[in-house]
């Protein structure tokens, strides 16, 4: 795996992580209701959940890689289309962030387990990883080494993203609920996702 491929993975993962999904909405809900103390356990739970979903996805991708080069290539095309679809959906999402403050007092361990379960058991997580990861995997390279690098990178980014969301939600509550800010955020992220999907298709066509 080249350094350029890793950088592309970091850039694409960063864009995808900041998109508010069920996990981020849960993080924001806890942070709005209970403040900055939720940041560490929620971020740790998100990272563990992503580790679970990503490992399961990687095992499936490895099986496809060994089974058929054609199937693996088709999966890459599907992944590119999926990125474009996510981008369009995010671009049209508007300026709402449906996260209500959670005022029930729970322990850090329970917050961590809640974030882990929501992240790991979300069917969209595994679907996303199966569609997204093949864009960066080199069939000729060491699959296990690539899996380790991609997982470690993604989990660090996921932890930092969830931690950042919790801190922002707890300290800048008006900003996290401002429709204009959320709308601009969604449109920018959506455009980047669409561009990533189109770029992937262009690369595949060029090959």
């Amino acid at each position: 795996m080249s350094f350029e491929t890793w950088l592309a993975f970091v850039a694409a993962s960063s864009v995808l992580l900041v998109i508010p999904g069920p996990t981020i909405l849960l993080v924001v809900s806890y942070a709005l209701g209970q403040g900055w103390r939720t940041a560490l356990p929620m971020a740790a739970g998100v990272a563990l959940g992503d580790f679970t979903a990503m490992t399961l996805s990687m095992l499936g991708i490895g099986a496809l890689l060994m089974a058929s080069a054609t199937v693996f290539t088709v999966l890459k095309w599907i992944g590119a289309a999926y990125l474009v679809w996510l981008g369009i959906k995010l671009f049209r999402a508007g300026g709402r962030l449906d996260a209500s403050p959670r005022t029930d007092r729970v322990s850090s361990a329970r917050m961590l387990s809640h974030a882990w379960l929501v992240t790991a058991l979300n069917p969209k997580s595994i679907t996303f990883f199966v569609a997204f990861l093949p864009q960066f995997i080199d069939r000729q390279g060491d699959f296990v080494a690539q899996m380790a690098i991609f997982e470690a990178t993604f989990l660090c980014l996921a932890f930092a993203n969830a931690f950042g969301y919790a801190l922002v939600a707890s300290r800048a509550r008006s900003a996290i609920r401002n429709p204009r800010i959320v709308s601009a955020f969604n449109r920018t992220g959506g455009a980047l996702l669409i561009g990533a999907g189109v770029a992937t298709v262009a690369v595949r066509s060029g090959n």
Side-chain angles (χ1 to χ4, degrees):
M1 177 177 56
S2 68
F3 182 66
E4 290 75 15
T5 298
W6 180 79
L7 282 179
F9 176 79
V10 170
S13 297
S14 297
V15 173
L16 291 163
L17 279 168
V18 297
I19 298 173
T23 297
I24 292 302
L25 292 179
L26 180 68
V27 170
V28 171
S29 293
Y30 271 109
L32 288 174
Q34 303 185 36
W36 62 269
R37 79 179 187 90
T38 64
L40 184 58
M42 294 302 291
V46 169
L48 287 174
D50 277 326
F51 173 76
T52 303
M54 199 172 187
T55 299
L56 292 174
S57 303
M58 280 287 200
L59 292 175
I61 292 170
L64 287 174
L65 189 152
M66 291 185 292
S68 170
T70 301
V71 172
F72 191 72
T73 300
V74 169
L75 186 61
K76 286 191 173 187
W77 280 95
I78 293 173
Y82 184 58
L83 290 178
V84 173
W85 178 78
L86 281 177
I88 294 173
K89 184 178 180 181
L90 181 62
F91 194 87
R92 300 174 60 184
R96 293 189 61 191
L97 190 61
D98 298 321
S100 301
R102 295 184 64 101
T103 56
D104 50 319
R105 307 299 290 183
V106 297
S107 66
S108 294
R110 186 166 182 180
M111 282 189 280
L112 186 152
S113 62
H114 195 178
W116 171 67
L117 286 172
V118 169
T119 306
L121 299 183
N122 181 6
K124 291 183 179 180
S125 295
I126 295 178
T127 302
F128 159 70
F129 284 126
V130 170
F132 176 66
L133 291 171
Q135 312 302 320
F136 304 94
I137 293 176
D138 179 5
R139 292 194 72 251
Q140 308 305 319
D142 185 330
F143 178 76
V144 175
Q146 292 181 81
M147 182 175 81
I149 292 171
F150 285 141
E151 284 211 35
T153 300
F154 193 90
L155 295 182
C156 288
L157 293 172
F159 180 92
N161 181 66
F163 193 86
Y165 257 110
L167 289 182
V168 171
S170 64
R171 296 183 179 276
R173 302 183 182 191
S174 59
I176 206 74
R177 289 178 163 182
N178 189 311
R180 292 185 178 181
I181 294 176
V182 175
S183 180
F185 184 81
N186 286 342
R187 288 177 181 273
T188 301
L192 290 173
L193 280 179
I194 294 170
V198 172
T200 301
V201 170
V203 170
R204 301 288 169 236
S205 300
N207 292 339

